[in-house]
Amino acid sequence: MKKIFFAAFLIIAVVLIFIFGLRADLAPGLENFGVTFSRLATADFGLDWKKTYSDILDDLKVRNLRLAAYWTEIEKGQGQYSFADLDWQVAEAEKRGAKIILAIGQRLPRWPECHIPEWAENLPEKERQERLLKVIELIVNRYKSLSAVRYWQVENEPFLATFGHCPPLDKDLLDKELALVRSLDSRPVIVTDSGELNLWLEAAKRADIFGTTMYRIIWSPQIPGGGYFQYPFPSVFYRFKAVLVKYFAGAKDIVGVELQAEPWGPKPIREMLPEERDKSLSLEQFKNNIEYAEAVGFREQYLWGVEWWYWEKLNGRPEFWEYAKTLF
């Protein structure tokens, strides 16, 4: 069935390309790189998160950032708000003229995907949703006057139901979140989806800008033969899907919000030997992933793994960090 589905998908995509052509406005050529930064990831690597963030801005010279406004960090106790860490990240970016995608909601980048405070987990569903909408409102109102914030991202891959520890997707809640953000500010809203596992239509039709992930080599216990798997899709696969969402979801703009630049293996990265880490993300594979993204041609790509490059640099393998310097 999977083979039949994939064959049908390719046939439809080829027909659409012959009829309409690949739209240059959706894949005009890769112009800019950025990174996703997560304070939670720096904690996993045992890093000084402020030093890491400062070096990303000042040594790598990154000027496009995706930051996460984690509900767990902002409202650790019900009605007890603290924006200090996020304020600092946004202020440091603004000092340097960097631009930010600010991701908001309960499902945000980094494991376990959904970041719901413990006090909120056992609330009645309606009350939990009301608390979520309240914190989203506070975040948007707090940062909407700042020029550094370029886009809002509402939730992260909300339609990827098979990954992460999350409540079942509630489309009505997602639509309420989107409507709330748009009622508070006019900046474009990004909605994201898995580049390999979904068709994008549900996410793209809700987005001002659609954001896709892009992974090349993954590990999963469901995969036979050691768990590693390299996606066989050529770069035109993403352009096929761009045609679909252009004509069936009205997509006007696409960016890559999560390009794999970090290992994915059977254990946390810190527990894997270099040889194991290199199975999914060696320096050569890093470069290959960049070339692949360039071939796809979406105008921006936000790399996933900057905290890991920094950790590798501090532990005697600076080549990932040094190569990344050439991209910014």
Side-chain angles (χ1 to χ4, degrees):
M1 288 301 296
K2 288 180 180 178
K3 290 179 180 178
I4 292 170
F5 175 80
F6 185 63
F9 169 78
L10 287 178
I11 291 169
I12 293 169
V14 169
V15 170
L16 286 170
I17 286 173
F18 275 111
I19 295 173
F20 300 111
L22 281 168
R23 294 296 297 263
D25 55 342
L26 291 181
L30 180 52
E31 300 169 355
N32 296 307
F33 288 102
V35 300
T36 296
F37 174 80
S38 168
R39 199 188 70 78
L40 300 184
T42 60
D44 289 341
F45 286 110
L47 300 171
D48 179 328
W49 75 269
K50 287 190 174 181
K51 180 68 165 60
T52 305
Y53 186 76
S54 296
D55 284 353
I56 289 167
L57 291 168
D58 296 333
D59 192 24
L60 283 186
K61 308 293 185 185
V62 170
R63 292 298 178 265
N64 294 289
L65 295 156
R66 184 169 66 138
L67 305 179
Y70 294 113
W71 187 10
T72 49
E73 299 287 295
I74 289 171
E75 194 179 7
K76 292 182 179 179
Q78 185 167 354
Q80 301 171 8
Y81 300 103
S82 175
F83 291 91
D85 289 348
L86 188 56
D87 282 352
W88 188 86
Q89 292 173 57
V90 173
E92 292 300 305
E94 192 157 47
K95 284 180 187 176
R96 296 161 176 82
K99 298 299 181 183
I100 296 167
I101 298 172
L102 189 55
I104 54 182
Q106 63 183 350
R107 183 180 174 117
L108 297 180
R110 289 292 174 184
W111 192 259
E113 302 302 307
C114 282
H115 303 268
I116 302 170
E118 288 186 13
W119 60 263
E121 288 181 347
N122 295 321
L123 290 177
E125 184 176 4
K126 182 179 179 182
E127 186 177 350
R128 179 176 57 80
Q129 292 183 0
E130 289 172 351
R131 298 302 309 179
L132 173 62
L133 293 170
K134 176 63 175 178
V135 78
I136 288 174
E137 181 179 3
L138 290 172
I139 293 166
V140 173
N141 282 332
R142 189 176 188 88
Y143 298 110
K144 68 182 183 181
S145 64
L146 301 180
S147 61
V149 178
R150 186 182 181 194
Y151 306 126
W152 307 107
Q153 178 187 322
V154 176
E155 300 293 339
N156 190 57
E157 298 177 289
F159 295 95
L160 187 59
T162 58
F163 191 72
H165 298 307
C166 291
L169 171 64
D170 184 332
K171 292 183 183 179
D172 289 339
L173 174 61
L174 175 61
D175 290 337
K176 287 178 183 177
E177 293 175 66
L178 291 164
L180 174 61
V181 173
R182 289 183 169 120
S183 73
L184 297 170
D185 190 59
S186 61
R187 285 178 180 82
V189 174
I190 295 174
V191 184
T192 66
D193 206 353
S194 166
E196 298 75 37
L197 301 178
N198 287 342
L199 283 178
W200 303 354
L201 295 172
E202 288 282 3
K205 73 182 183 181
R206 290 172 164 83
D208 301 317
I209 298 171
F210 172 69
T212 180
T213 63
M214 197 172 290
Y215 279 80
R216 304 301 299 132
I217 300 177
I218 66 165
W219 183 92
S220 172
Q222 281 78 42
I223 296 171
Y228 285 99
F229 175 75
Q230 180 162 3
Y231 284 109
F233 310 129
S235 58
V236 75
F237 170 78
Y238 287 87
R239 295 165 66 90
F240 286 160
K241 293 172 83 170
V243 171
L244 290 179
V245 296
K246 174 70 179 181
Y247 293 104
F248 293 109
K252 297 179 176 63
D253 195 4
I254 298 177
V255 297
V257 293
E258 194 172 306
L259 174 62
Q260 184 183 12
E262 177 183 281
W264 186 339
K267 296 184 288 186
I269 292 174
R270 292 181 71 181
E271 298 177 17
M272 291 190 285
L273 294 173
E275 295 78 13
E276 186 75 28
R277 301 197 294 270
D278 285 350
K279 289 180 181 179
S280 57
L281 210 289
S282 63
L283 181 60
E284 180 182 5
Q285 187 62 46
F286 192 166
K287 295 177 180 179
N288 289 342
N289 290 359
I290 296 298
E291 291 177 1
Y292 184 89
E294 289 173 339
V296 172
F298 298 148
R299 62 180 177 84
E300 289 188 338
Q301 285 286 351
Y302 287 75
L303 279 68
W304 180 262
V306 66
E307 306 89 353
W308 171 67
W309 316 334
Y310 195 74
W311 178 79
E312 287 279 20
K313 179 169 79 82
L314 296 181
N315 285 277
R317 293 214 303 174
E319 54 266 31
F320 300 96
W321 183 268
E322 294 301 318
Y323 170 65
K325 280 186 180 180
T326 68
L327 303 176
F328 301 107

